[in-house]
């Protein structure tokens, strides 16, 4: 029961993250916000590793580990999060989180291509159900008198495409992270540690095992590449990037919401998601944590004054149901 409760906490945490990020993105801009967010994430992760492993960097990570996790960081953070936070600006966090349910199909397809993992018939049905739920939420009947029986997007096409890109980035990045963590485990064994789940650093202030902290160390490697990628995009490919970053940092409200998005997302959200898997089955935990597109409906109406139709509610529920089929 504890694992299920923690999983619910993760879903609420990611709901808050999406809403804070929407406000921060609209005030600061996608690239400046991601530079600030990645910087804060690195500081929090470095502090966490220093307290638990005695060093503020990924202990025992070798070149192969860095390569695959950096590749994951580029796909998941630089490409995926840029798409996500830009789509928040265009279509809002509610629809952005709905389109993020596509990460499960993208992850399944990528794992099939890269790792040779088989897809069950339930996973294929889940893809169809997820796509159906999204279509129900983002399509409506055309108002054009000549095309009254056809469907049309009720959202900006660019925002929908960016949301799909965000889902693809997260799904593909997740599989690349899995490959990177497998290399990380091999590197740990190569350093003479056969049981990472029980090995505790003698320099640790908080005695937590290396196996428990490995996902945090992996996240830090991804965040290093994420920060580098966003800095390059902001300072070299954006006109007035330094000025935009300076303005965003001086905007107290934007900085506050960005900080909250960082704390509830990469820090609390990831921590609780890892903890949930210790107390319940991973499939059950992931299913409950996928409820964010449903949880975000009421706060979006209450705080952002967004009008929500019953079809959109039904579409969100169907999409989440499709995701659940991946973990049955």
């Amino acid at each position: 029961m504890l694992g299920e409760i923690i999983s619910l906490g993760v879903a609420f945490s990611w709901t808050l993250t999406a809403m804070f990020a929407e406000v921060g993105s609209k005030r600061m801009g996608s690239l400046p916000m991601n530079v600030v967010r990645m910087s804060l994430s690195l500081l929090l992760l470095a502090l966490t590793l220093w307290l638990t492993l005695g060093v503020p960097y990924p202990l025992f990570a070798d070149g192969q580990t860095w390569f695959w996790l950096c590749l994951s960081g580029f796909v998941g953070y630089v490409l995926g999060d840029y798409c996500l936070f830009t789509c928040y600006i265009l279509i809002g966090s509610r629809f952005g989180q709905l389109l993020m349910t596509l990460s499960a199909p993208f992850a399944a397809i990528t794992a099939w291509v890269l790792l040779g993992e088989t897809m069950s018939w339930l996973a294929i049905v889940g893809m169809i159900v997820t796509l159906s739920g999204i279509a129900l939420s983002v399509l409506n009947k055309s108002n054009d008198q000549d095309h009254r029986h056809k469907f049309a997007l009720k959202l900006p096409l660019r925002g929908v495409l960016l949301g799909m890109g965000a889902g693809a980035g997260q799904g593909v990045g997740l599989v690349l992270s899995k490959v990177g963590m497998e290399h990380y485990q091999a590197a740990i064994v190569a350093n003479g540690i056969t049981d990472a789940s029980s090995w505790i650093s003698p320099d640790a202030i908080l005695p937590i095992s290396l196996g428990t902290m490995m996902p945090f160390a992996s996240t830090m490697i991804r965040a290093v590449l994420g920060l580098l990628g966003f800095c390059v995009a902001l300072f070299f490919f954006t006109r007035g990037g330094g000025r935009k970053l300076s303005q965003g940092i001086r905007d107290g409200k934007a900085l506050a919401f960005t900080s909250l998005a960082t704390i509830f997302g990469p820090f609390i959200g990831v921590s609780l998601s890892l903890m949930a898997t210790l107390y319940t089955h991973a499939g059950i935990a992931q299913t409950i944590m996928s409820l964010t597109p449903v949880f975000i409906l009421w706060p979006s109406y209450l705080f952002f004054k967004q009008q929500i139709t019953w079809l959109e509610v039904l579409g969100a529920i169907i999409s989440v149901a499709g995701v659940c089929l991946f973990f049955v």
Side-chain angles (χ1 to χ4, degrees):
M1 188 64 182
L2 179 59
E4 286 78 0
I5 294 173
I6 295 173
S7 298
L8 278 175
V10 173
F12 281 115
S13 179
W14 285 342
T15 299
L16 292 173
T17 299
M19 297 183 67
F20 292 144
E22 178 178 347
V23 177
S25 295
K26 288 180 176 178
R27 293 185 68 93
M28 188 181 290
S30 178
L31 284 175
M33 181 189 174
N34 274 301
V35 169
V36 173
R37 191 175 71 99
M38 287 292 100
S39 299
L40 292 174
S41 297
L42 278 175
L43 288 175
L44 290 172
L45 288 165
L47 176 62
T48 301
L49 294 182
W50 175 67
L51 290 173
T52 57
L53 299 180
V55 293
Y57 54 83
L59 195 61
F60 302 128
D62 62 1
Q64 287 279 356
T65 301
W66 274 87
F67 172 78
W68 284 102
L69 288 174
C70 281
L71 184 59
S72 170
F74 177 74
V75 173
Y77 281 150
V78 181
L79 298 182
D81 280 1
Y82 172 77
C83 289
L84 180 63
F85 292 117
T86 305
C87 96
Y88 282 170
I89 298 172
L90 296 173
I91 62 177
S93 57
R94 175 165 62 95
F95 285 109
Q97 283 298 306
L98 175 66
L99 290 165
M100 283 292 284
T101 58
L102 289 172
S103 62
F106 277 114
I109 293 171
T110 305
W112 172 59
V113 173
L114 291 183
L115 305 177
E117 294 184 1
T118 58
M119 286 189 292
S120 67
W121 66 270
L122 274 177
I124 296 173
V125 172
M127 291 183 192
I128 297 172
V129 172
T130 299
L131 289 171
S132 300
I134 291 173
L136 193 63
S137 295
V138 304
L139 296 177
N140 59 10
K141 286 289 185 65
S142 175
N143 292 323
D144 191 331
Q145 292 298 317
D146 297 327
H147 302 87
R148 284 178 297 176
H149 299 294
K150 294 185 178 181
F151 289 96
L153 279 174
K154 61 183 177 183
L155 300 170
L157 177 60
R158 182 166 176 257
V160 173
L161 292 176
L162 285 166
M164 294 174 66
Q170 185 182 61
V172 176
L174 178 65
V175 176
L176 293 173
S177 291
K178 181 178 180 179
V179 176
M181 291 183 68
E182 288 175 353
H183 284 287
Y184 202 170
Q185 289 174 324
I188 291 172
V189 172
N191 277 274
I193 300 172
T194 56
D195 185 9
S197 62
S198 62
W199 188 86
I200 296 176
S201 171
D203 300 319
I205 297 174
L206 299 176
I208 300 178
S209 71
L210 175 60
T212 301
M213 299 311 301
M214 189 176 69
F216 290 88
S218 300
T219 301
M220 185 176 186
I221 295 175
R222 299 179 73 221
V224 168
L225 194 285
L227 177 59
L228 178 61
F230 284 125
C231 284
V232 170
L234 180 64
F235 294 115
F236 293 96
F237 296 99
T238 304
R239 179 174 296 180
R243 174 178 52 81
K244 292 178 180 179
L245 178 61
S246 178
Q247 289 175 345
I249 294 175
R250 289 200 301 268
D251 184 338
K253 187 174 182 179
L255 187 61
F257 277 98
T258 299
S259 300
L260 288 170
T262 304
I263 293 170
F264 281 97
F267 195 63
I268 292 180
V270 171
S271 301
L272 289 180
S273 66
L274 294 172
M275 189 181 298
T277 60
L278 297 176
Y279 296 100
T280 188
H281 295 294
I284 296 174
Q286 185 60 52
T287 299
I288 296 174
M289 290 186 287
S290 298
L291 290 172
T292 299
V294 176
F295 287 163
I296 203 171
L297 292 172
W298 181 74
S300 295
Y301 170 79
L302 186 65
F303 295 107
F304 296 148
K305 310 301 180 185
Q306 296 177 357
Q307 296 301 313
I308 301 171
T309 67
W310 285 108
L311 278 179
E312 291 171 359
V313 174
L314 180 61
I317 294 173
I318 291 174
S319 296
V320 171
V323 173
C324 294
L325 290 176
F326 283 86
F327 305 103
V328 172

